[in-house]
Amino acid sequence: MRVDTSGKISLDHIYTQPDPRAYFTTLRDLDYHIPQLARPHFAELIDEYRKARNVAVPTVLDIGCSYGINAALLKYGITMGDLYERYSGADAHRRTRESLLARDRELSRRDPRTAPARFLGLDASDDALAYALDAGFLDGAVHADLERDDPTGPQRELLAGTDLVVSTGCLGYVTERTIARIIAACGARRPWMAHFILRMFPFAPIAETLAAAGYETVRREGLFRQRRFATAQERENVLLRLADAGIDARGLEADGWYYAELHVSRPRP
């Protein structure tokens, strides 16, 4: 398998398909479940924001949202297991894209929302965003690579309404450049943020950017399993990277799993 510059296997192909079947089929084999672990933390933060700011339905921006996974989990009370069965079970491979979408639209129309929030997705994959919008998981989308480019005028208008910013694994590839552009688009609004970032990636540059913009960041206790290593070589690549950063992987990545930390950032009063 091809590896990227971080030492991880490249999974770029699963984010650019017209529907989520390749995404879930591939990640199911790797026990990918960080969105499931993130859900209660995001739900808690949404609830805190609603009470603190007196906002009935806050707008959540999901960076690297792909097919709207975090939105689906939070809005409809389903699990990653449900989604794996939905898109990688035997029935899924007999369906067309339109059939998958029809079933998803039933979910988004019928099931009660468990998280009172509106979800925007930010991603470089037009295919993934299109599916999430068509399915009803996302309420809006920004198709952009904010690592390279400033948001356009219409994109800036969408981003300006953000109340909370979340992510579950894209930080590291997405850097402080994207975070700075989102903050700039939001202006005085200054959304709250919660980011899960793999231990192999430094969070310090992002924390510094947030601090300069008036934020205070707290790392939550605990570590969160993201997925299993796909190959022995991927494991060795990551262990070397952790060792170079002075991070002890014993009992964690050394046992075959990626681990992430959760950083929560709020504007200072």
Side-chain angles (χ1 to χ4, degrees):
M1 295 182 178
R2 185 170 65 87
V3 298
D4 59 31
T5 55
S6 73
K8 296 175 64 180
I9 62 166
S10 176
L11 296 173
D12 291 349
H13 65 287
I14 69 173
Y15 298 96
T16 56
Q17 302 300 312
D19 63 63
R21 283 176 287 193
Y23 177 97
F24 282 101
T25 299
T26 300
L27 292 179
R28 186 178 206 170
D29 289 340
L30 300 176
D31 289 325
Y32 173 78
H33 58 259
I34 191 72
Q36 184 72 41
L37 300 179
R39 183 172 70 173
H41 296 277
F42 290 164
E44 177 186 7
L45 196 66
I46 290 169
D47 191 52
E48 288 179 15
Y49 186 92
R50 290 175 65 236
K51 294 173 181 175
R53 297 290 178 88
N54 195 27
V55 176
V57 183
T59 296
V60 180
L61 175 68
D62 184 4
I63 305 176
C65 67
S66 68
Y67 295 93
I69 311 309
N70 287 322
L73 293 179
L74 282 159
K75 286 165 73 171
Y76 309 120
I78 56 179
T79 67
M80 283 296 287
D82 295 331
L83 293 177
Y84 280 128
E85 185 58 32
R86 195 175 192 87
Y87 300 113
S88 63
D91 174 65
H93 296 287
R94 293 192 292 265
R95 289 178 176 265
T96 64
R97 180 180 185 275
E98 284 307 313
S99 175
L100 289 170
L101 279 171
R103 183 175 62 177
D104 288 342
R105 290 180 189 126
E106 289 180 9
L107 172 69
S108 62
R109 285 194 300 263
R110 183 185 67 233
D111 284 11
R113 297 190 174 200
T114 56
R118 178 174 176 268
F119 280 83
L120 300 178
L122 169 63
D123 206 282
S125 171
D126 194 28
D127 287 312
L129 287 174
Y131 189 92
L133 283 170
D134 287 347
F137 296 161
L138 293 180
D139 301 290
V142 177
H143 176 221
D145 181 352
L146 298 186
E147 287 296 290
R148 298 186 310 174
D149 305 308
D150 288 324
T152 64
Q155 290 170 347
R156 183 178 289 272
E157 288 182 14
L158 270 178
L159 293 170
T162 300
D163 294 303
L164 300 105
V165 181
V166 302
S167 67
T168 49
C170 67
L171 264 63
Y173 299 103
V174 169
T175 71
E176 65 276 9
R177 290 188 292 274
T178 290
I179 300 299
R181 283 171 168 146
I182 291 170
I183 292 172
C186 292
R189 196 180 189 92
R190 294 198 301 168
W192 293 11
M193 301 197 187
H195 299 294
F196 286 83
I197 182 170
L198 294 178
R199 298 206 309 152
M200 63 185 283
F201 293 124
F203 187 74
I206 294 172
E208 290 168 6
T209 295
L210 287 165
Y215 281 81
E216 180 177 295
T217 297
V218 175
R219 184 175 78 81
R220 291 276 179 93
E221 290 187 9
L223 297 172
F224 304 85
R225 283 182 172 181
Q226 191 209 49
R227 67 163 172 85
R228 295 184 184 277
F229 293 123
T231 66
Q233 186 60 57
E234 184 181 47
R235 174 180 176 275
E236 290 306 309
N237 292 344
V238 172
L239 291 181
L240 286 172
R241 187 180 179 114
L242 290 167
D244 287 343
I247 298 171
D248 187 358
R250 290 176 297 179
L252 297 165
E253 290 87 354
D255 290 348
W257 288 81
Y258 282 103
Y259 278 85
E261 298 173 335
L262 170 58
H263 298 265
V264 176
S265 304
R266 295 181 177 88
R268 289 190 291 270

